[in-house]
Amino acid sequence: MSTQSLDPSQLRLTIDSASLGFPDTSALRQRPLSWIGQERAELAARFGLSMMQPDYHLFVLGEEGSGRSSLLHQAMLSAAANLPASPDLCYLYNFVAPEKPQAVRLPAGQGRALRQSLLQLTKSLPAEITQCLSGQDFKLKSERAEKKFKLETGQAYNKLDKFAESLRFAIHREDEQIVFTLLDEKGEILTAENLLKLPKARRIAIEQSEQALRDAILLYFEDFKRIERDKDQALAMLRQRIVQPIVNQALKKVQNGLHKQLKQHNRLKSYFEQMEADILANLALFDADNSDEEKRQSELNQIFSRYQINLVVDNADESGAPVIIEDNPSAYALFGSIDYQFENGKLKTDFMRIRAGNLLKAHGGFLMLHLNDLLTDGPLWVKLRRFLRSKRLLIEEPGSAWASNAPVALEPEAVEVNVKIVLIGSRDQYYDLQEIDPEFMRRFRVKVDFAGSFIASADTYLASAVFVSHACEVAKLPHFSAAAVARLLEESHREVEDQKRQSAIFARTEMLILESAAICNARRGRLVEVVDIAAALQARLQ
């Protein structure tokens, strides 16, 4: 078998710059970036991003520097632009079980509108109620009610007084007690000394009369308390009748500010009804005659703080679905948290301190994660697996050490979340997980496989030149001449040691672009030339 020696020039691919079709990369800046040599990966990514059904998450595998993160981010933004804005998510005070705040999803922007309306209500309504209860109409009706019940208590006392008189006792009230004294035949106070002088039968009769009077006094106080209760109830009902139209009008104003379809929103309807009942049940706090004004005002503020909403996800300014890249995942960053603060030596919280994580914020859209970040946190990995299985997210307490000091533990309502997760990992990690955690991998039905190299062609050369042009524009670098681009392409072939294939690891090309441009700037060149690339490559060898 004969062998043929090759000339050194035949071992090195040479690309004719004239065949590229442009003088320098500034002529290409208007052309869009493409998935250079990654057609299969692009097709898989676009298919996966269009499938919003559960368990069609994307696992993106390939070498670092292949553009897998940046290209997927670009594809996520493109897919999100064609989707509607995701709904807002609010947490409301639960009037039945305050420790279990209720979750409500509203169309994008409606959460902010509702929050603003309720904030205005909590500022204006207390003053309106106070003014109403200070008005002449309420005063006249309440005085009439007071007079009616005062008459009843007077009649009850007169009845007791007559009964006492019939038994020859005189009575009078001292604070919350009734004091009685025995009278003689002349109507004067019978002293203890004179009482002992009376016949035994008379003394026994007096003792029986005294017991009868004591029983009558007990009945009187029962009647008095009943009358007081009736009076308080009547005044409470009067307050409610006077104030209810004001509260009703204020709540209708809030509802009229929302979309028409939300007027029939069952949870919101129930919430507004419970809010109205809660306000009317606490009208006694508006009594200006309350001696402890500071305490009264504190209780009023506490009551009206319930009527806010915690807008944990606000999509009012979004025009498409959310796209989030989480580079520092943690339980708090992904799943949300509940804030606490110390008050009087104790940890306290309420529904307004619930915070959403990026899984909730990405509902209806896309979330990119890197597998390496997740694998270093065992509990987070377990929590993510559970979420992917249930599709429901529960914001939990920060931990038992904190919660043990908290007087009330919050249990925010769990919400269903529809999010497309784009998980970036290596090829080895992909196949390892298929072996050790097949349940997890069943959730990632779309494999986006980035190749390490691809067959070179005129199209890939042009696409690579567009990549160089965009890199120069982004970093504000001098553009590359056609000859310099040809030299970059030759280096791409050399990296994979194949005259027919280019390297898909564009991070290396980007580094060479930056280094060559720096040398060009140092010599005050207008364009990066072959000499600059040669100098950059030579510098790497030193």
Side-chain angles (χ1 to χ4, degrees):
M1 182 176 181
S2 62
T3 60
Q4 182 179 357
S5 61
L6 296 175
D7 185 87
S9 63
Q10 293 178 282
L11 297 174
R12 182 179 181 277
L13 175 68
T14 301
I15 298 175
D16 181 10
S17 61
S19 67
L20 297 179
F22 57 86
D24 62 72
T25 54
S26 64
L28 306 175
R29 44 193 164 191
Q30 300 302 322
R31 289 179 177 253
L33 284 169
S34 62
W35 293 51
I36 311 168
Q38 304 290 359
E39 290 78 11
R40 288 180 61 190
E42 181 181 15
L43 187 63
R46 299 200 184 283
F47 166 76
L49 294 174
S50 68
M51 293 285 292
M52 290 308 290
Q53 285 80 0
D55 295 337
Y56 275 86
H57 304 289
L58 285 72
F59 196 111
V60 183
L61 56 152
E63 292 186 52
E64 290 187 20
S66 61
R68 53 188 183 168
S69 297
S70 57
L71 288 173
L72 259 297
H73 184 207
Q74 177 183 306
M76 289 159 68
L77 291 172
S78 177
N82 297 319
L83 295 173
S86 294
D88 298 333
L89 177 63
C90 313
Y91 275 98
L92 310 177
Y93 181 81
N94 189 332
F95 293 94
V96 177
E99 74 282 2
K100 296 181 178 181
Q102 295 180 310
V104 174
R105 289 201 186 277
L106 302 174
Q110 289 299 286
R112 189 182 295 182
L114 179 58
R115 180 179 63 183
Q116 187 59 35
S117 297
L118 288 176
L119 184 62
Q120 185 60 40
L121 178 144
T122 58
K123 287 181 178 178
S124 61
L125 191 56
E128 293 178 22
I129 293 175
T130 300
Q131 184 178 3
C132 177
L133 295 179
S134 302
Q136 195 65 25
D137 184 40
F138 176 73
K139 281 187 176 181
L140 288 173
K141 290 179 179 178
S142 61
E143 285 174 1
R144 198 176 302 140
E146 293 270 9
K147 186 175 181 181
K148 173 179 177 293
F149 289 107
K150 189 175 181 181
L151 180 63
E152 282 189 37
T153 54
Q155 290 173 345
Y157 185 80
N158 289 337
K159 180 180 177 182
L160 178 65
D161 186 44
K162 288 180 179 180
F163 180 70
E165 186 179 348
S166 70
L167 299 175
R168 293 190 178 180
F169 284 93
I171 62 172
H172 68 277
R173 289 200 63 161
E174 291 184 3
D175 297 327
E176 298 299 318
Q177 294 183 330
I178 290 181
V179 179
F180 58 87
T181 53
L182 182 62
L183 304 177
D184 59 15
E185 299 291 338
K186 297 179 180 179
E188 296 179 355
I189 297 175
L190 183 65
T191 64
E193 181 181 352
N194 291 334
L195 179 62
L196 292 173
K197 293 178 181 178
L198 294 175
K200 183 177 180 182
R202 175 62 181 146
R203 291 201 305 273
I204 292 173
I206 289 174
E207 288 177 2
Q208 292 174 341
S209 296
E210 182 177 337
Q211 184 58 47
L213 180 58
R214 289 183 185 277
D215 293 341
I217 290 172
L218 288 175
L219 289 174
Y220 163 76
F221 276 116
E222 288 179 5
D223 281 347
F224 181 81
K225 290 177 182 177
R226 177 189 57 77
I227 294 169
E228 283 290 309
R229 284 195 303 271
D230 290 346
K231 181 187 74 172
D232 291 342
Q233 186 177 0
L235 289 174
M237 292 179 66
L238 176 60
R239 289 191 194 97
Q240 290 182 10
R241 284 199 303 273
I242 294 287
V243 172
Q244 188 169 23
I246 296 173
V247 177
N248 194 262
Q249 184 178 5
L251 290 176
K252 275 189 176 178
K253 185 177 179 182
V254 171
Q255 291 172 286
N256 289 338
L258 299 174
H259 281 324
K260 290 182 180 179
Q261 68 263 31
L262 291 181
K263 293 180 181 179
Q264 301 304 318
H265 193 293
N266 290 334
R267 178 157 285 185
L268 278 184
K269 283 179 65 177
S270 174
Y271 174 72
F272 288 132
E273 289 168 1
Q274 290 174 321
M275 186 194 299
E276 180 175 343
D278 193 56
I279 294 172
L280 296 178
N282 288 282
L283 291 178
L285 290 174
F286 287 89
D287 185 1
D289 295 333
N290 195 311
S291 58
D292 193 342
E293 176 61 23
E294 185 176 344
K295 181 182 178 183
R296 182 183 77 89
Q297 194 59 49
S298 174
E299 290 178 349
L300 265 180
N301 292 340
Q302 186 175 357
I303 293 295
F304 273 80
S305 68
R306 302 171 183 171
Y307 314 141
Q308 304 176 59
I309 67 163
N310 184 358
L311 182 57
V312 295
V313 178
D314 182 2
N315 287 314
D317 298 325
E318 303 301 322
S319 57
V323 174
I324 297 175
I325 298 177
E326 179 54 76
D327 290 322
N328 188 26
S330 64
Y332 292 166
L334 287 181
F335 292 90
S337 61
I338 302 172
D339 293 345
Y340 279 80
Q341 69 176 17
F342 275 103
E343 287 184 14
N344 301 321
K346 288 187 176 181
L347 284 167
K348 293 196 175 181
T349 190
D350 57 44
F351 76 105
M352 291 297 292
R353 298 182 182 276
I354 301 170
R355 303 288 178 258
N358 279 330
L359 282 168
L360 279 179
K361 293 176 183 177
H363 172 73
F366 310 96
L367 173 64
M368 180 183 288
L369 299 169
H370 286 79
L371 185 57
N372 284 336
D373 299 329
L374 301 174
L375 293 177
T376 58
D377 190 335
L380 177 62
W381 180 257
V382 172
K383 198 174 178 69
L384 182 62
R385 291 175 76 255
R386 288 174 180 167
F387 164 73
L388 290 172
R389 183 172 62 245
S390 68
K391 284 79 174 178
R392 291 175 62 81
L393 190 144
L394 173 65
I395 301 176
E396 297 178 297
E397 298 283 352
S400 57
W402 284 59
S404 61
N405 292 324
V408 176
L410 282 188
E411 299 175 30
E413 183 180 8
V415 292
E416 292 188 4
V417 178
N418 181 18
V419 60
K420 178 77 64 180
I421 294 178
V422 176
L423 188 59
I424 309 293
S426 69
R427 190 166 281 101
D428 288 342
Q429 288 171 330
Y430 176 82
Y431 291 109
D432 286 345
L433 279 175
Q434 281 193 325
E435 289 290 328
I436 63 176
D437 200 342
E439 180 189 349
F440 178 83
M441 292 306 291
R442 277 198 296 272
R443 315 293 173 195
F444 289 81
R445 296 179 179 174
V446 181
K447 180 175 75 168
V448 182
D449 193 351
F450 274 72
S453 66
F454 51 86
I455 296 175
S457 67
D459 289 339
T460 64
Y461 285 167
L462 180 59
S464 299
V466 172
F467 171 80
V468 176
S469 177
H470 278 258
C472 294
E473 288 291 312
V474 170
K476 301 188 183 308
L477 303 174
H479 278 274
F480 280 58
S481 68
V485 172
R487 183 65 187 88
L488 288 176
L489 294 172
E490 292 167 3
E491 185 63 20
S492 175
H493 282 278
R494 192 198 66 77
E495 287 174 3
V496 294
E497 300 179 343
D498 193 325
Q499 292 188 6
K500 294 184 178 180
R501 300 185 72 84
Q502 283 181 253
S503 171
I505 312 305
F506 281 90
R508 297 171 190 163
T509 303
E510 190 171 18
M511 287 176 60
L512 188 53
I513 291 170
L514 295 172
E515 293 163 6
S516 304
I519 293 172
C520 174
N521 284 331
R523 67 173 178 81
R524 299 181 182 278
R526 187 182 69 84
L527 292 174
V528 178
E529 301 290 355
V530 173
V531 64
D532 301 311
I533 297 175
L537 290 171
Q538 183 62 34
R540 291 181 177 182
L541 300 176
Q542 295 176 354

